[in-house]
């Protein structure tokens, strides 16, 4: 898989990974949508507004936000996974697969 790695002037490192299947893309989009509600930001700022502050976000999923799924309480993980028609283990496994594609 091709991956674009980048670094910013402030020292952040990021990666852009193309998602190849429609099923994975739908899962990540819906997971991101649910996590915007469940994992509220510390400063209270709207996640979508923050990510689109300079340019509108299009066809991009926030991997950092999706990675927060593993830090949610077990009951919350179960509730979010049920909304996605998956088990929490399946969601975590998919996130691990995508993470390993970048290594």
């Amino acid at each position: 898989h091709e991956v674009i790695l980048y670094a910013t002037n402030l020292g952040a490192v990021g990666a852009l990974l193309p998602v190849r299947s429609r099923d994975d893309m739908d899962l990540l989009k819906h997971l991101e949508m649910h996590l915007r509600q469940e994992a509220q930001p510390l400063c209270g700022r709207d996640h979508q507004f923050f990510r689109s502050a300079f340019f509108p976000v299009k066809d991009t999923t926030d991997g950092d936000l999706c990675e927060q799924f593993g830090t949610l309480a077990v009951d919350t993980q179960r509730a979010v996974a049920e909304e996605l028609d998956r088990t929490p283990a399946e969601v975590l496994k998919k996130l691990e697969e995508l993470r390993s594609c970048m290594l």
Side-chain angles (χ1 to χ4, degrees):
H1 295 268
E2 293 180 352
V3 177
I4 297 174
L5 296 175
Y6 64 90
T8 67
N9 290 339
L10 297 176
V13 176
L16 298 172
L17 172 72
V19 178
R20 303 203 183 271
S21 79
R22 173 71 63 186
D23 187 47
D24 288 350
M25 189 169 38
D26 289 341
L27 171 69
L28 292 172
K29 280 291 180 195
H30 287 99
L31 178 61
E32 181 183 38
M33 181 182 70
H34 286 289
L35 287 175
R36 281 190 201 130
Q37 301 302 316
E38 298 296 335
Q40 294 291 324
L42 294 175
C43 63
R45 193 171 181 188
D46 179 60
H47 179 265
Q48 188 68 21
F49 179 75
F50 171 73
R51 290 292 179 196
S52 299
F54 298 104
F55 298 101
V57 173
K58 183 179 177 190
D59 298 329
T60 305
T61 301
D62 185 348
D64 288 336
L65 182 61
C66 290
E67 285 291 332
Q68 289 183 18
F69 179 79
T71 66
L72 296 174
V74 175
D75 293 338
T76 307
Q77 284 184 10
R78 193 174 300 117
V80 170
E82 284 176 5
E83 290 289 327
L84 302 171
D85 296 325
R86 310 273 174 126
T87 65
E90 290 172 328
V91 175
L92 290 169
K93 181 179 179 187
K94 179 54 68 178
L95 292 173
E96 178 63 32
E97 287 173 10
L98 292 170
R99 191 180 317 114
S100 68
C101 287
M102 290 183 275
L103 299 176

